[in-house]
Amino acid sequence: MTALVNRLAATAHAGVLLFGLLLLLVQAADALWDDAASGRERISLNKGWHFKRWESNPDNIVLKPWILPMANAFINDPATHFKTPVDRQPGFRISFAGDSYNDTDWEAVDLPHDWAIKGPFYTADTPVVGGGMGRLPIHGIAWYRRKLTIGPEDEDRRIYLDIDGAMSYSMVWINGNLAGGWPFGYNSFRVDLTPYLKLNSSDNQLAIRLDNPVQSSRWYPGGGLYRNVWLVKVDDTHIAQWGTLVTTEGATAEAATVQLSVQVENSGNSSREVMVATDIYELADVKAGMRGMKVASLGSKLVSVLPGQRQTVNTSAKVEKPKLWGPPPTQTPNLHVAVTRLILASSNKTIDTYETRFGIRTLNATGERGLLVNGERIYLQGVNQHHDLGALGAAFNHRAAERQLEVLRELGANAIRMSHNPPAPELLDLADEMGFLVMNEAFDCWQNQKNPNDFHLIFDDWSEADLRAMMRRDRNHPSIFAWSTGNEVGEQTDGANGGSIGRRLSAIVHEEDPSHRGSTASMNVAKPNTPFTEAFDIMSLNYQGEGIRDTPAYSGFTGTHTPPLYPDFHKAFPNSLLLSSETAAALSTRGTYFFPVTNESSAPQTDQIPAGGSDPKLRQVSAYELYSTPFGASPDKVFAKQDENQPYVAGEFVWTGWDYLGEPTPYYSARSSYFGIVDLCGFKKDRFHLYQARWRPDLKTAHILPHWNWPDRKGEVTPVHVFTAADEAELFLNGKTLGTLKKASNVTSYRFRWDDVRYEPGELRVVTFKDGKEWANDTVLTTGAPAALRLTADRSLIKADGHDLSFLTVEVVDKDGLVVPDASNAITFTVVTVVGGYDMGEIAATDNGDPYDMVAFPSKTRKAFSGKALAIMRAKPGAGGLVTVVATAEGLTRGIVALTAVP
Ligand code: GAL
């Protein structure tokens, strides 16, 4: 053991040095990046909060009239602005908001913080929060408090609080004064703290109240200050919140014209004359935020701004031979940054510097050929994603979000629909950097409710402000190709009213995005000839593209029955981009199979249909990947309908990429979904290989299912299916051929299936061919009993910053190292510090992807599920060092992995 530790320490020290060097380089780059004379500071306020939550309301306050005027900055018609109450402050004191309240016994927390994720799960039959919202304690009133230091240098500056997302109904107090708030939990917002701050004081009391109702969502919303929070300090005259807009129409590899509009805000008491000057740089190293070559200067413009006013300055410049942004693998997601400075005319002093990241590219939404990016047709291989990060909950974490995208990239996905709400801003940055196309979405409902306490309660007051706020924040992201104003809203079938709200929201989209990315709303029941449909530029169909309940297996279910509607929509809107914003709603549990297997290529599954597709006692659905909700379809059916309607159907967004918390259809006694192509841990379901074979047809892979450990099925029919991009496959059981199958070129078939195989233990092997040449093989073996744990880390070098993560997979293996596919041993994770001398890391959460596992996520002990479990390791902020994580289970050889945390 000592030898092992020494060896690990040596490697780790080499790693620390290398990483330290990299960090130095990055810091040097940052130094270039930071303009010394910037005039603007953006300070993270994530540390040092005191937090308390009540299940019922401790203070009974309703301050709606004071919060509503926050929307005015995002409502275009002044006549409809909300009036600020005559009394600028509510006439009563709230102790939690004031500076004399003693919060020392409250919980100390850092942000991003999701108060609900630690659980425990509600397991009762009539829980406070049911399966739909994840059976976690999301509800209640909470207060977050911390102090702010405002120094003498902050005199004459504007001090803003920028909250990237707070769940929900937030109200912000500073020094006992109500300064603002925002009800919608998914939008980012800014509160001006300036009028209420004490200068030269470290005793400015910030207090934020959140109110998160039950029955407010169809999925897990999380609760708390769950995204980043910033303090922004600027000169009185500065670039306004989200105050730049870049458009790059007409871009080619030869040249592009970049247009920039800059909104200058003067919140001081006297007029200001400022020069607005912008330089455009390539982003050389996106991760490090390192500028590359300067590619253009947008000439300076002088502008005079009256006190309390805003002025917009428009400039443009030509960029020669621009590096275009586009989705891999055929294009590269090159990014640029526009660095805009405000220079005071009187003194030549730079009073503000503002960076706008953007990409140069063209988007062309066609009715005939789908979406063209830089002239190339990009078939949308998209997935829907909810905002939670599995066992980490809603609390935004950069690495966890990046990992989600990495898994999707490996799958071959090139597009994401942000279902059904504005995402964390950093997720859009990641999409830009990695080259995903994004459908950004504002709402899940309008006036018609889906749940008693959802957004419908505030839609009339807030929909304009929320849609404009989302768009102003997000419109410079090159990844966004469409703006969705709603998902399956009740108004689809609401005749004139649906049409009129749709047109109002569409008009907002057109006003806020002059680059003409289209508006849409997803339709699962609206038909082509309804007023609703006509309101939008893009036709986004949920399920009705491939047909709903239109095959015999589904015909007995009540609800909409629709033939595939791609042709009808295309006929009615020949010039509109037509895509499926949701497809499949297929269901499965990783590594779990039930018998008999349906002969259909797509079969419905509810909690009432046990035979073959699922097991109501286990609350699991079979991973033969043939089963779906009654309104959905197997991937195979969707592929066929997409293919029949090429090239005008632009592609699909599968429901969903990853499993998510809540909506555990068909078993609402569970806590997370069955819809994902990957499970809640990020482990691949069999479906992963079905999509990968279609979306990455050049990848030489073949994948056999099911596993081959069926001691009770000797001699019984146990179908074997193979997912591969090959066109011919031969299956062998213990060396004997079970026959060769071919995908006929005139038949759309997306899997090979040998449905009559009788189980005998041993070896299953498939050999595949494409165009007559050997393509890829796969082997599945009957394994022995569990003997050991194998622990591996996705990254063994992480930053000791309190945020960076290493995802540790533990597999239960037999004596030959084969993963035992039905193992469910209880595994305990322990962190042992080896070098560094202090407690430097923690297991933040564990999971196994089982939607019905009710052990709270922070538990250090987790049962393996289908042979695997996940532990998420977070290094604490500090000096770093070498740490090992040990996984133990009774009777098994333990697993060890070494990690290095670097300061
Ligand atoms: C759709 C809905 C999604 C999700 C999905 C699966 O109708 O838009 O949010 O609920 O069904 O149930």
Side-chain angles (χ1 to χ4, degrees), residues 218 420 487-488 542-543 582 585 631 655 660 663 665 675:
R218 299 186 302 111
H420 305 293
N487 171 59
E488 297 186 354
N542 284 6
Y543 310 105
E582 283 180 36
F631 60 81
W655 190 267
Y660 53 95
E663 215 181 28
T665 310
F675 289 115

Side-chain angles (χ1 to χ4, degrees), residues 440 442-443 464 467-468 470-471 475 480-486 502-521 535-538:
N440 214 19
F443 311 120
E464 177 176 353
L467 182 55
R468 288 191 198 277
M470 174 186 97
M471 292 189 65
R475 59 195 174 178
I480 295 175
F481 79 96
W483 302 103
S484 171
T485 62
R503 283 193 300 279
R504 176 171 73 79
L505 299 179
S506 241
I508 291 174
V509 169
H510 299 149
E511 282 164 22
E512 295 294 335
D513 186 0
S515 73
H516 312 300
R517 284 170 285 190
S519 67
T520 192
F536 300 104
D537 307 313
I538 296 171

